[in-house]
Amino acid sequence: MIKFFTMLTRADAAQNETLERLKHLLGGKKILFTLVGSAGCREYGLSRTANDLDFVVDPYEPAMDILNASGEFEPVSDDHPDTTQRTCTRRDTKTGVRVDFLKSGIRINDGSRWVMGRKYRDPMPIATATGTGDVALLATLIAMKLNAATSGEDILNSGANTGRSREKIQKDLSDVRELIAVHGLGRSLELGHDRIQKCYEKLVDEKA
């Protein structure tokens, strides 16, 4: 079941205020945005602190136009301008909360760039947006974590240093291990991709 909240149960007051501001700006404009990442996992019991909010957004370009016009979410200087029209980081000018916005359904590594002599494509696309400020399904969040970890390992193993760091990969895997333990998850959870499923089942089997 998709989780809907009037407020996030494990977020601080500033993050909840930022969520409400986004609902006000985007909710009435038929813009879908769904919480993912560590803040989404935190709503399912992840203990690790999440200092920012990550949302998948659909449609992305009109959403960014609305935020630009509002003046309430300023682009972060190290991620501006948003030349790809696929991902960006913004800061809530009132609360200071950083928010990462990702275009719904894309692959971060989509096969358009060369990595050590070949064009790399992530195993899975990121999640699609499903509501206005809802939290993604637990299975979706786990799949996204493992997709990022798998892509990161692939790029590191190719000899390139342009992808996810080893530290972040291990953090993703640790997050999934904790969610497995918190919810007593087994191998039957379906994640939608054979390679990601095998990675997940390996982590489940560690607890056996």
Side-chain angles (χ1 to χ4, degrees):
M1 178 179 291
I2 298 168
K3 301 191 81 172
F4 293 94
F5 298 99
T6 55
M7 62 186 298
L8 298 173
T9 60
R10 293 173 175 264
D12 61 27
Q15 290 176 342
N16 268 309
E17 183 176 349
T18 292
L19 176 58
E20 289 305 312
R21 284 157 65 77
L22 287 170
K23 286 181 179 179
H24 175 72
L25 287 169
L26 303 180
K29 304 293 185 179
K30 298 184 179 179
I31 304 292
L32 300 178
F33 64 104
T34 297
L35 185 67
V36 294
S38 296
C41 292
R42 184 180 57 191
E43 295 301 308
Y44 289 94
L46 183 70
S47 61
R48 184 163 66 82
T49 299
N51 295 319
D52 57 9
L53 300 175
D54 299 324
F55 291 100
V56 290
V57 182
D58 183 29
Y60 178 88
E61 293 87 350
M64 297 305 105
D65 289 342
I66 291 167
L67 296 182
N68 284 335
S70 75
E72 296 181 30
F73 287 84
E74 61 184 6
V76 173
S77 59
D78 61 1
D79 193 42
H80 184 65
D82 175 17
T83 55
T84 66
Q85 287 289 289
R86 298 171 77 242
T87 69
C88 70
T89 302
R90 292 173 178 261
R91 182 183 293 106
D92 185 332
T93 57
K94 183 177 180 183
T95 66
V97 172
R98 286 171 63 112
V99 185
D100 292 330
F101 296 99
L102 302 93
K103 188 173 185 177
S104 181
I106 64 166
R107 283 175 165 83
I108 300 299
N109 298 291
D110 61 359
S112 63
R113 70 185 182 104
W114 292 90
V115 177
M116 299 303 287
R118 69 186 183 97
K119 289 187 175 181
Y120 185 77
R121 182 176 169 87
D122 295 336
M124 294 181 72
I126 65 171
T128 56
T130 53
T132 52
D134 60 318
V135 181
L137 294 168
L138 177 59
T140 297
L141 295 169
I142 288 175
M144 287 184 68
K145 287 279 184 182
L146 295 180
N147 188 54
T150 298
S151 296
E153 284 284 0
D154 287 346
I155 293 170
L156 284 177
N157 290 340
S158 75
N161 60 0
T162 57
R164 207 163 184 80
S165 70
R166 184 73 64 188
E167 180 183 6
K168 287 186 176 180
I169 292 169
Q170 291 306 312
K171 196 171 289 185
D172 289 331
L173 296 175
S174 294
D175 288 348
V176 174
R177 288 186 181 99
E178 182 175 356
L179 291 171
I180 289 170
V182 167
H183 292 276
L185 299 176
R187 285 169 140 255
S188 61
L189 185 69
E190 296 184 4
L191 301 183
H193 188 281
D194 287 347
R195 191 173 177 207
I196 301 304
Q197 188 72 33
K198 287 177 182 177
C199 181
Y200 166 74
E201 290 174 1
K202 182 178 178 181
L203 296 178
V204 171
D205 291 345
E206 289 178 356
K207 301 294 184 181

